[in-house]
Amino acid sequence: MRKVAVIGVGMTKFGELWHASFRDLMIEAGVRALEDAGIGGDDIQAAYVGNMSAGRFIQQEHVGALIADYSGLAPIPCTRVEAACASGGLALRQAWMDVASGLHDIVIAAGIEKMTDVLAGAAIETLATAADQEWEAFVGATFPSLYALMARRHMYEFGTTEEQMAAVAVKNHNFANMNPYAQYHIQVTVEKVLKSPPVAKPLKLLDCSPISDGAACVVLAPAEQSRKYTDTPVLIEGSGHATDTLGLHGRKSLVGLEATVRASREAYKMAGIEPSDVHVAEVHDCFTIAEIMAIEDLGFCKKGEGGKFTEEGQTNLGGKVVVNPSGGLKGKGHPVGATGVAQVVEIVHQLREEAGKRQMEGAEIGLTHNVGGTGATVVVHIFRRMT
């Protein structure tokens, strides 16, 4: 396998983007990525696009062909990748394998979702299609309620508190305030989180990521060719992908995601590093408890200590590992198909020292962690600044 590097990144602002269509968002992110890489559309040889549910959100299937057509990339192969909220991360993995195998040299990995063209109730129903329809959604379980089950079990086993979960939201909104692409630029306090409307006990409104529109795009190339396009290529050093049971009822434990453990183990091994080597990480904080479980399952702290680790500031600037400096899903927004690729955009900016006020000084190794559903799909990637 060839070494693969990211040579360009681009994304749209995340939010309720009433003025922009699905097609407009994808083109905007793609053009920004191509400009960042210093290439044109004629240089692209293949594309992989993460998208969860355009068929339900905008009544459009055949997304790969749509994007190739509207962007002028046809007749190159353009493949739509679906893995619920991990669609973007899996699209990146497919693009990475394409370049690493030698099949193509310049490949796009992108992600997009336009979620606000339907009412909130319809969006929630669509998101629930990523759960087990027969055993969870049919009886009324939603993603907030499923993650609430995990939160309550984590609290029971380890003494995790609602205040510690609220600390995740406070940190991520603080980061989002420094990110011009973020959906929310609001100040959040622990007290404000605790007093926000209940959604599924113990989760409250400000424990939950929003419904969002947005797109993100990265350009990949063989590492040995990367300096032809950019002075700051970022290597993809490791990639891991694992799956678990679709429903929570089939799992051995509710206090973590086994797929995260396995996918990260694969990525760490490929990159030749340990969790302690990671400087900055974008993890899948669809709910505040999800970030706490993620930092445990990724090995940044021991199982059961994620709440305390967060409360002590170890995931903030100046801590042991900076987690979600983009604002995460919580503050930056969560257009589900785009999330995994947007995580890469942030890590690349961090490793290229382009993240402004949210920059982690001296960051050399970064990680992305993208989750589908309640953990039935997990994709982890490791990145290193190329010297």
Side-chain angles (χ1 to χ4, degrees), residues 169-183:
V170 172
K171 169 182 67 71
N172 292 352
H173 275 281
N174 284 342
F175 277 132
N177 286 334
M178 297 181 274
N179 184 355
Y181 294 102
Q183 180 166 353

Side-chain angles (χ1 to χ4, degrees), residues 52 82-85 127-137 141 143 146-147 150 242-251 254 257 259 371-377:
M52 175 182 164
E82 188 280 314
C85 309
L127 292 171
T129 62
D132 189 314
Q133 290 297 291
E134 187 170 350
W135 294 103
E136 292 177 333
F143 275 108
L146 294 170
Y147 273 92
M150 291 189 273
T243 56
D244 203 344
T245 63
L246 188 60
L248 291 184
H249 57 275
R251 302 190 191 167
L254 294 183
L257 305 184
V371 176
T374 54
T377 301

Side-chain angles (χ1 to χ4, degrees), residues 40 70 109 167 308:
Y70 199 70
K308 181 181 178 183

Side-chain angles (χ1 to χ4, degrees), residues 275-300:
S276 58
D277 295 318
V278 175
H279 299 127
V280 59
E282 285 282 309
V283 310
H284 200 93
D285 62 318
C286 48
F287 301 92
T288 52
I289 187 62
E291 179 170 314
I292 287 172
M293 292 192 299
I295 61 177
E296 296 170 350
D297 295 335
L298 291 166
F300 299 152

Side-chain angles (χ1 to χ4, degrees), residues 65 117 131 174 194:
D117 284 5
N174 284 342
L194 296 177

